[in-house]
Amino acid sequence: MRTNPSISCIIIDDEPSSQNVLKHFINETPVLDLKKVCNNAFEAFKFLQLNQNIDLIFLDINMPKLTGLDFYKSLQNPPRVIFTTAYPQYAVEGFEVNAVDYLLKPIAYNRFLTAINKVISSEEESIVKKGFLILKENKSLHKVHLKDILYIEAYGDYVKIHTIHKTIITHSTFSSFIDNLPSYFLRTHKSFCINLHQLDQLNGNQIQINEYKIPIGQTYKQSVLKALNS
């Protein structure tokens, strides 16, 4: 099921088989919201003139009359683009126009997800400002509202994000993950960070959030007390 999509996208491709593959992949990726499938650049240009809120284009390069590259270069303030083509010789030129990625047909879903993660990484700061994160767990992408996060826990080369709904394990260092969070996320221990809005009680060297008890490390005790007092 597709829920809470956050990246609006269109497909521009003249081959029905390629359209179908991309439509299937987009439908399997909850953070993507497909708005339109266009058969050529001229159809896409008309659509984009009337729809300014498109975030991402899946754009075939080798199309009749007007190539995908020429079309993209003609746009003012264009959305981000992932080029798709069966011809690897176009890759260098594709990256010269700051493409997010370049997918060679036939496209595998794992490779498709890698490209989507690049889109997400490129807008990480804006995602935080919007109040949610997009997190990858195994082959799935999850939209997580910051307000729903209870606490975050270091887990080797991963982090566990405990929310009011579920726990998500994603690949990241603990420090780099929490460095991107708003100031109401407070590190209480070398391996724990809490959402101050979810705090229930402070008991000695522990913080209570729902049924969870999160430790306060000696190094962080003064900063925790200062944050709570303010």
Side-chain angles (χ1 to χ4, degrees):
M1 183 189 306
R2 292 167 55 79
T3 58
N4 296 324
S6 61
I7 299 174
S8 60
C9 60
I10 64 171
I11 296 168
I12 309 174
D13 198 309
D14 63 321
E15 298 177 359
S17 59
S18 297
Q19 292 177 2
N20 290 335
V21 168
L22 287 170
K23 284 192 290 186
H24 174 67
F25 287 172
I26 290 168
N27 191 57
E28 292 295 308
T29 310
V31 297
L32 297 177
D33 183 18
L34 181 61
K35 296 296 187 181
K36 178 74 174 176
V37 178
C38 301
N39 296 304
N40 55 63
F42 302 102
E43 183 182 347
F45 184 79
K46 291 179 182 178
F47 177 81
L48 290 173
Q49 288 292 301
L50 299 174
N51 297 269
Q52 303 292 324
N53 60 342
I54 299 301
D55 300 313
L56 177 65
I57 301 174
F58 293 96
L59 179 57
D60 184 27
I61 290 180
N62 191 36
M63 292 189 294
K65 296 185 179 179
L66 184 64
T67 70
L69 280 167
D70 289 337
F71 164 74
Y72 192 71
K73 291 176 182 178
S74 73
L75 297 177
Q76 292 184 343
N77 301 316
R80 284 158 295 176
V81 63
I82 294 174
F83 284 113
T84 63
T85 186
Y87 302 95
Q89 62 266 31
Y90 291 120
V92 173
E93 192 174 355
F95 284 117
E96 286 176 354
V97 296
N98 294 320
V100 174
D101 209 341
Y102 180 97
L103 298 179
L104 190 62
K105 300 176 182 178
I107 302 166
Y109 185 57
N110 280 352
R111 183 65 184 85
F112 177 87
L113 274 185
T114 298
I116 299 307
N117 277 321
K118 290 181 181 180
V119 176
I120 292 167
S121 296
S122 70
E123 64 168 16
E124 186 172 12
E125 183 178 351
S126 63
I127 286 176
V128 171
K129 288 179 180 177
K130 290 175 183 177
F132 58 85
L133 295 167
I134 305 299
L135 303 175
K136 182 182 180 184
E137 182 179 45
N138 297 322
K139 296 181 181 180
S140 300
L141 295 174
H142 302 265
K143 179 178 179 180
V144 177
H145 289 277
L146 296 176
K147 64 181 178 60
D148 292 339
I149 297 175
L150 302 175
Y151 68 98
I152 301 149
E153 178 183 359
Y155 190 60
D157 292 331
Y158 295 79
V159 290
K160 288 185 178 181
I161 299 92
H162 300 268
T163 79
I164 60 176
H165 304 294
K166 58 189 172 184
T167 297
I168 296 170
I169 300 175
T170 192
H171 188 269
S172 174
T173 64
F174 183 66
S175 294
S176 64
F177 187 88
I178 65 174
D179 283 348
N180 290 314
L181 297 176
S183 58
Y184 56 84
F185 282 88
L186 178 66
R187 191 168 187 171
T188 66
H189 185 275
K190 65 178 182 179
S191 300
F192 290 90
C193 176
I194 68 164
N195 181 351
L196 282 170
H197 295 167
Q198 296 285 355
L199 187 147
D200 291 325
Q201 294 181 42
L202 173 64
N203 297 313
N205 289 326
Q206 286 186 332
I207 284 173
Q208 181 92 25
I209 296 179
N210 292 354
E211 71 273 23
Y212 304 106
K213 291 180 172 62
I214 297 96
I216 301 173
Q218 192 62 37
T219 305
Y220 300 92
K221 191 165 187 178
Q222 290 302 316
S223 60
V224 170
L225 292 174
K226 183 178 179 181
L228 295 179
N229 287 331
S230 61

